[in-house]
C-alpha cells in the first residue's frame, strides 16, 4: 500500500532496518524484519548504503521479502550518490515487480568513491521518479535542526519545499533528542507552505560513544537531560542502553501527545528496541 494513503487515514508507526554488511546473508535481515513485523508496523524501511557502508546491493531484495514474506509494507531507500539514471530505473522496476510501492529518495551520505552520477540532490531524483514511475509513493528526508551542510535552517527548509514541489508525498525526519526543536521545525514548515505529512524518526541511543558519533555525523544536539542520564548510567553498557530506551520512550509519548503524523523508529536491527517502543506507544494510547 502507498504510505501516503496510510498517512491520510491514521497516525503511523514504523521501523527502519539496515541490510547486513559485506557478504552476510539476506536471511539475517529477514529474520529481524519478521520479528519486527510481529509488532504490526505500518511499514518497515530498508536503508541503502547508509553511512557510505556500501551495503545497498540487498536493499531491493530485502524490501521485496518484507512485502512478500513478512506481509508488511516496505519502504526502500535509494540514493543519488552512486546511482546512475539506469541504476535507478532498474532498481524501481525490480521493486515494482515485487509489489513494493514506496521509495525514500535521498542524496545519500558522502563517502570516499561515492559520487553523484546523474542526480545531484534528492529533489532531482524525486523529479525523475515522479516522471518515470508515477505509481511510486515517494518519501524524502528532513532535518529538524537543519542538514549539516546547510547554511541555515531556513535555507534547508527551502530545499524541503523543493522536494515537495518535485513530487515528494511525505517526509521522514532525521533523529533528534529534543522534541521542542521538532515542534519549532514543524511550525516553520507550515509557514514555508510544506503540506505533506512529516513522520518523526527517533533513535534510542545505545551508549555514550554512539550518541557522540551521531551528534557529529548528523549534527543532532545532545540536551542536558540526555547527558545527565548517561552520567547516572555510569560505565555499564547495559545501563547506558537502558537509559537510551527509556529516554526514547519518553520522547515518543510526548510526540504522541502532540499530534504527530507518524512515528518511525531507527531500531538498529534490534527487535528488542522495536518491542519496547511499541509497548510504550500502546501504554500511552497512540497504538491500539
Ligand atoms: P538533499 O535534499 O539533496 O540535501 C543535501 C544538502 O543539500 C542539504 O544541505 C540541502 O539543504 C542542500 N540542497 C538540497 N537541494 C539543493 C539544491 N537544489 N541546491 C543547493 N542545495 C541543495 N543516507 C544513505 O546513504 N542511505 C540511507 O539509506 C539513508 N537513509 C536516511 C533516512 C532518513 C530518514 C534520513 C533523514 C537520512 C538518511 N540518510 C541516508 C542520510 C542522507 O542521505 C544524508 O543526510 C544526506 O547528507 C542528505 O540527504 P538528502 O536526501 O536530505 O539530500
Amino acid at each position: 500500500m502507498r504510505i501516503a494513503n496510510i498517512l491520510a487515514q491514521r497516525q503511523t508507526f514504523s521501523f527502519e532496518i539496515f541490510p547486513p554488511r559485506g557478504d552476510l546473508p539476506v536471511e539475517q535481515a529477514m529474520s529481524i524484519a519478521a520479528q519486527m513485523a510481529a509488532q504490526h508496523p505500518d511499514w518497515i524501511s530498508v536503508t541503502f548504503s547508509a553511512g557510505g557502508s556500501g551495503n545497498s546491493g540487498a536493499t531491493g531484495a530485502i524490501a521485496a521479502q518484507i512485502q512478500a514474506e513478512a506481509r508488511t509494507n516496505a519502504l526502500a531507500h535509494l540514493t543519488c550518490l552512486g546511482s546512475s539514471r539506469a541504476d535507478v530505473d532498474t532498481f524501481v522496476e525490480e521493486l515494482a515487480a515485487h509489489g513494493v510501492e514506496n521509495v525514500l529518495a535521498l542524496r545519500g551520505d558522502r563517502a570516499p568513491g561515492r559520487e553523484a552520477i546523474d542526480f545531484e540532490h534528492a529533489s532531482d531524483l524525486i523529479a525523475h521518479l515522479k516522471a518515470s514511475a508515477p505509481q511510486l509513493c515517494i518519501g524524502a528526508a528532513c532535518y529538524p535542526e537543519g542538514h549539516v551542510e546547510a547554511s541555515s535552517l531556513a535555507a534547508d527548509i527551502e530545499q524541503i519545499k523543493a522536494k515537495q514541489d518535485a513530487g515528494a508525498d511525505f517526509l521522514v525526519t532525521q533523529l533528534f533528542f529534543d522534541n521542542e526543536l521538532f515542534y519549532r521545525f514543524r511550525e516553520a514548515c507550515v509557514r514555508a507552505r510544506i503540506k505533506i505529512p512529516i513522520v518523526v524518526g527517533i533513535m534510542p541511543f545505545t551508549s555514550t560513544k554512539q550518541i557522540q558519533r551521531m551528534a557529529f555525523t548528523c549534527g543532532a544536539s545532545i540536551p542536558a537531560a540526555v547527558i545527565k542520564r548517561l552520567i547516572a548510567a555510569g560505565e555499564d553498557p547495559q545501563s547506558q542502553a537502558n537509559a537510551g530506551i527509556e529516554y526514547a520512550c519518553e520522547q515518543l509519548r510526548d510526540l504522541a501527545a502532540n499530534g504527530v503524523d507518524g512515528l518511525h523508529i531507527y531500531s538498529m536491527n534490534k527487535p528488542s528496541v522495536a518491542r519496547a517502543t511499541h509497548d510504550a506507544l500502546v501504554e500511552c494510547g497512540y497504538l491500539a
Side-chain angles (χ1 to χ4, degrees), residues 47-51 77 79 104-109 114 121-122 141-143 147 149-150 156 159 163 172-174 266:
T47 64
F48 190 97
S49 201
H77 295 201
T79 67
L104 190 70
L106 301 148
R107 196 275 311 269
D109 285 319
R114 199 180 185 211
H121 287 291
C142 66
Y143 303 84
H147 183 257
E149 294 167 28
D156 199 35
Q159 300 305 340
K163 297 191 213 191
V172 184
T173 75
Q174 176 69 277
Y266 296 115

Side-chain angles (χ1 to χ4, degrees), residues 12-275:
T12 60
F13 176 61
S14 51
F15 300 123
E16 177 187 277
I17 64 168
F18 48 83
R21 282 163 215 263
D23 295 328
L24 289 175
V26 166
E27 287 72 30
Q28 188 186 333
M30 273 318 297
S31 150
I32 291 164
Q35 292 176 65
M36 291 187 179
Q39 314 302 326
H40 304 294
D42 289 298
W43 72 85
I44 297 176
S45 71
V46 189
T47 64
F48 190 97
S49 201
S53 55
N55 61 352
S56 58
T59 299
I62 294 170
Q65 287 192 37
I66 287 173
Q67 196 87 27
E69 290 172 25
R71 302 208 170 279
T72 301
N73 290 304
L75 169 63
H77 295 201
L78 173 62
T79 67
C80 302
L81 295 186
S83 305
S84 67
R85 192 180 300 267
D87 294 334
V88 166
D89 293 346
T90 306
F91 184 78
V92 167
E93 271 166 33
E94 282 172 11
L95 291 182
H98 291 93
V100 178
E101 297 171 278
N102 304 289
V103 165
L104 190 70
L106 301 148
R107 196 275 311 269
D109 285 319
R110 291 198 186 283
R114 199 180 185 211
E115 307 294 341
I117 305 170
D118 289 321
F119 308 103
E120 191 71 31
H121 287 291
S123 50
D124 304 326
L125 176 59
I126 293 165
H128 173 71
L129 291 173
K130 201 73 194 166
S132 60
Q135 80 283 359
L136 273 183
C137 177
I138 305 169
C142 66
Y143 303 84
E145 299 183 61
H147 183 257
V148 276
E149 294 167 28
S151 55
S152 66
L153 180 57
D156 199 35
I157 288 176
E158 276 178 31
Q159 300 305 340
I160 300 171
K161 174 73 166 47
K163 297 191 213 191
Q164 173 183 274
D165 294 347
D169 296 296
F170 66 98
L171 298 165
V172 184
T173 75
Q174 176 69 277
L175 61 93
F176 55 86
F177 299 103
D178 179 350
N179 288 359
E180 290 306 319
L181 294 170
F182 171 71
Y183 301 136
R184 268 180 253 151
F185 169 74
R186 185 168 61 174
E187 285 167 17
C189 286
V190 171
R191 286 195 296 276
R193 301 186 316 282
I194 293 167
K195 299 192 167 111
I196 51 179
I198 306 176
V199 174
V200 172
I202 292 295
M203 178 185 278
F205 59 84
T206 54
S207 68
T208 306
K209 267 204 184 121
Q210 182 247 9
I211 200 172
Q212 283 168 341
R213 201 172 53 243
M214 297 317 300
F216 272 87
T217 49
C218 20
S221 48
I222 307 179
V226 168
I227 294 169
K228 283 180 186 163
R229 277 171 206 236
L230 280 166
I231 289 172
E235 296 301 312
D236 177 39
Q238 192 54 53
S239 304
Q240 291 184 5
N242 291 347
I245 292 282
E246 267 171 37
Y247 188 81
C249 289
E250 281 170 32
Q251 268 193 290
L252 290 168
R253 282 191 283 263
D254 179 72
L255 290 159
N258 279 280
V260 289
D261 295 320
L263 293 170
H264 186 62
I265 313 298
Y266 296 115
S267 36
M268 296 160 297
N269 286 10
K270 291 190 167 68
S272 59
V273 167
R275 270 194 304 277

